[in-house]
Amino acid sequence: MEKIPILKMGRFLLVTIQVDLYDRLALNLEADLIQMISKTEANGVLIDISAVSIVDSFMGRIIGNIASMSKILDAYTVVVGMQPAVAITLIELGLPLKGVLTALDVEKGMELLRSLIPASSAEEEVSDDYLI
Amino acid sequence: MENLLEEIVATGSRIAILDISGVPAVDSLVAQHLIKTVSATRLMGAECIISGIRPEIAQTVVHLGIDLSNIITKATLASALKYAFQLLKLEVKKNANTFF
């Protein structure tokens, strides 16, 4: 059974989808990702879909689901590298993916996540020193 | 729409400005297409600003009952560019070291 890897990068989770998604795979990804977010207490999820060339309404819904589930667990979702054809398809399907953040590539997505996560959570370890 | 999206990928642009000052009239189909283009740009991870909307067009759009409230619109290309610079935290200023 194929599986999409979920990598932990500091306070973020990185998911790179390198194969065309089929329904079963997408559902598994959704379940795995949510498990992973709660396990690692991640603050952000970055999904790279630059290699995905075909989407349907189901896939659009899955991405939306992941975003709203992550929001409940206090993590932002950023979808990066969407291909023009995919963007057009989703719009024509009437799925503007409200609530999903987007960026052009992984680099810009990471930048966006870093700017979104309040600096306080990064300075937690440092703050102890000031108290002494 | 496709040309714009392809170009955004090719250049890695964060902001696209859609200037429609040369468009004499807008009907519901054109307006709908503009909204689709802006939404698709957002999905790609860029921002789209519509500029150069003439008063007649603003009037028609409102009369047609089209909601452009969640789209960034600017009156002129200059103000759109100014806004884009602000978004990218860029500024244009005089260089004190050159003599012209």
Side-chain angles (χ1 to χ4, degrees):
Chain A
M1 181 80 205
E2 264 186 296
K3 238 184 163 191
I4 291 171
I6 301 167
L7 312 168
K8 188 174 181 289
M9 266 186 77
R11 292 172 294 146
F12 310 130
L13 293 179
L14 180 65
V15 184
T16 51
I17 302 171
Q18 298 292 343
V19 289
D20 272 322
L21 281 173
Y22 50 91
D23 294 6
R24 184 91 240 147
L25 197 60
L27 281 172
N28 284 343
L29 173 68
E30 184 187 285
D32 289 350
L33 193 56
I34 296 307
Q35 289 294 328
M36 198 70 171
I37 292 172
S38 74
K39 205 170 82 185
T40 59
E41 290 174 22
N43 296 123
V45 181
L46 198 111
I47 306 174
D48 175 31
I49 57 164
S50 54
V52 176
S53 51
I54 301 167
V55 284
D56 57 10
S57 55
F58 185 76
M59 237 47 95
R61 215 184 55 156
I62 293 281
I63 295 172
N65 279 354
I66 290 175
S68 21
M69 290 172 187
S70 314
K71 194 84 208 88
I72 297 171
L73 294 174
D74 194 27
Y76 291 98
T77 306
V78 182
V79 172
V80 305
M82 188 183 291
Q83 288 183 22
V86 173
I88 294 172
T89 312
L90 287 177
I91 293 302
E92 295 293 344
L93 286 170
L95 292 164
L97 298 186
K98 291 255 157 64
V100 179
L101 299 161
T102 50
L104 281 175
D105 51 40
V106 177
E107 200 182 348
K108 284 171 185 145
M110 272 292 170
E111 216 173 89
L112 177 66
L113 272 180
R114 287 207 186 94
S115 69
L116 280 173
I117 310 297
S120 57
S121 50
E123 285 163 7
E124 261 168 27
E125 299 114 47
V126 188
S127 62
D128 291 353
D129 299 334
Y130 291 112
L131 288 172
I132 299 166
Chain B
M1 165 153 66
E2 274 172 77
N3 286 344
L4 175 68
L5 297 185
E6 299 282 358
E7 202 59 27
I8 287 172
V9 174
T11 58
S13 311
R14 276 162 199 245
I15 295 172
I17 300 173
L18 203 59
D19 186 65
I20 57 164
S21 54
V23 180
V26 164
D27 61 6
S28 54
L29 204 71
V30 174
Q32 206 57 46
H33 190 77
L34 285 177
I35 294 173
K36 277 184 187 169
T37 309
V38 173
S39 309
T41 323
R42 282 211 186 123
L43 275 183
M44 304 256 313
E47 196 57 70
C48 194
I49 305 168
I50 296 182
S51 75
I53 299 177
R54 296 185 304 111
E56 297 84 10
I57 292 179
Q59 225 172 344
T60 353
V61 164
V62 172
H63 282 160
L64 287 169
I66 297 157
D67 184 24
L68 293 180
S69 57
N70 45 9
I71 289 173
I72 307 165
T73 50
K74 295 283 167 211
T76 59
L77 186 56
S79 54
L81 207 54
K82 205 169 160 188
Y83 180 75
F85 281 155
Q86 268 174 17
L87 277 185
L88 296 175
K89 297 188 183 75
L90 294 173
E91 64 174 320
V92 181
K93 61 176 183 182
K94 205 175 234 169
N95 189 343
N97 300 324
T98 46
F99 305 96
F100 279 113

